Amino acid sequence: MSSTSVNKVSIWLGSGGHTFSKEVEGTDDSVWADMRRCAEVEVVVDTHKTALVPEAYVDGDNLSRHLGDLAISVASDESVVCSRPVDGIVAVMAVSSDAVAILQRVAKGVVFTSPLLVGEPLERGTLFELGSDTLYVRVYDGGLRFAEALRVESDGDILFVFETLHRAYGIYNMYARAKGDTDRIARLTKGCFKSITLCQGGEV
């Protein structure tokens, strides 16, 4: 981005956040320059420490409670942030406190979101996004039926998720769209889905 007037820039924040913090300090390349002058920075948080909460039930004074309800612990060096509502749903996420502090110092406005809220929903089908160690899954069938950020440490974990979801929702018989590490998803699901689209780059 080289324009002198930037309204919004999006960045991806990894689950650890600490590497990101070190990269930002002392950096003055075009991305950080855009962050400094744009009206808003959208931060897509890549973490399995995510809870989706109906907007009406969000406890803004105690966001960590929503993670605790799912037995997700918040580390001492993490802060809990939330997204703007999307179709009545808010994502509550744990993220590096250092990264949050740097973002708030560098950018005029910071908005957090989750891969579970990004992109157009489907009428019927499954959306996957595979990050560094998190698999984001949304299953639609006349509405959202399942949505979760799942920690995956091996191919076996990913296959277990696919098989479990197929038994519950019949996802192999639906259309699927995948983002992120699509090469890995393609290799693991070869021949499983009736129809699957592997999105590259910024496609949704």
Side-chain angles (χ1 to χ4, degrees), residues 114-185:
S114 166
L116 290 174
L117 300 179
V118 176
E120 292 297 319
L122 301 174
E123 178 60 33
R124 185 171 190 267
T126 306
L127 298 179
F128 295 113
E129 181 154 1
L130 181 57
S132 56
D133 62 357
T134 305
L135 177 64
Y136 301 90
V137 184
R138 284 174 282 178
V139 179
Y140 295 89
D141 193 354
L144 184 63
R145 300 300 179 205
F146 178 90
E148 195 163 341
L150 301 154
R151 185 171 188 176
V152 289
E153 298 180 351
S154 66
D155 289 354
D157 292 338
I158 297 171
L159 288 171
F160 176 79
V161 171
F162 289 151
E163 291 295 330
T164 301
L165 290 173
H166 178 61
R167 287 196 297 271
Y169 301 102
I171 63 170
Y172 291 156
N173 301 320
M174 298 180 179
Y175 167 75
R177 189 164 71 224
K179 293 176 59 182
D181 190 349
T182 53
D183 290 342
R184 190 177 181 191
I185 290 176

Side-chain angles (χ1 to χ4, degrees), residues 42-198:
E42 180 184 64
V43 181
V44 183
V45 182
D46 179 17
T47 178
H48 66 280
K49 292 185 174 184
T50 302
L52 295 186
V53 184
E55 180 182 1
Y57 294 97
V58 173
D59 184 350
D61 296 324
N62 187 15
L63 288 173
S64 60
R65 177 177 70 84
H66 300 296
L67 295 173
D69 289 344
L70 298 178
I72 298 173
S73 61
V74 179
S76 60
D77 60 350
E78 291 178 327
S79 297
V80 181
V81 299
C82 69
S83 71
R84 288 173 174 165
V86 176
D87 295 330
I89 298 174
V90 172
V92 177
M93 302 156 287
V95 64
S96 162
S97 297
D98 288 344
V100 172
I102 290 171
L103 284 164
Q104 291 175 339
R105 186 169 69 247
V106 171
K108 296 176 183 176
V110 180
V111 176
F112 295 94
T113 191
S114 166
L116 290 174
L117 300 179
V118 176
E120 292 297 319
L122 301 174
E123 178 60 33
R124 185 171 190 267
T126 306
L127 298 179
F128 295 113
E129 181 154 1
L130 181 57
S132 56
D133 62 357
T134 305
L135 177 64
Y136 301 90
V137 184
R138 284 174 282 178
V139 179
Y140 295 89
D141 193 354
L144 184 63
R145 300 300 179 205
F146 178 90
E148 195 163 341
L150 301 154
R151 185 171 188 176
V152 289
E153 298 180 351
S154 66
D155 289 354
D157 292 338
I158 297 171
L159 288 171
F160 176 79
V161 171
F162 289 151
E163 291 295 330
T164 301
L165 290 173
H166 178 61
R167 287 196 297 271
Y169 301 102
I171 63 170
Y172 291 156
N173 301 320
M174 298 180 179
Y175 167 75
R177 189 164 71 224
K179 293 176 59 182
D181 190 349
T182 53
D183 290 342
R184 190 177 181 191
I185 290 176
R187 174 171 54 81
L188 293 174
T189 64
K190 188 174 182 179
C192 292
F193 286 94
K194 183 178 181 180
S195 175
I196 185 168
T197 298
L198 303 174

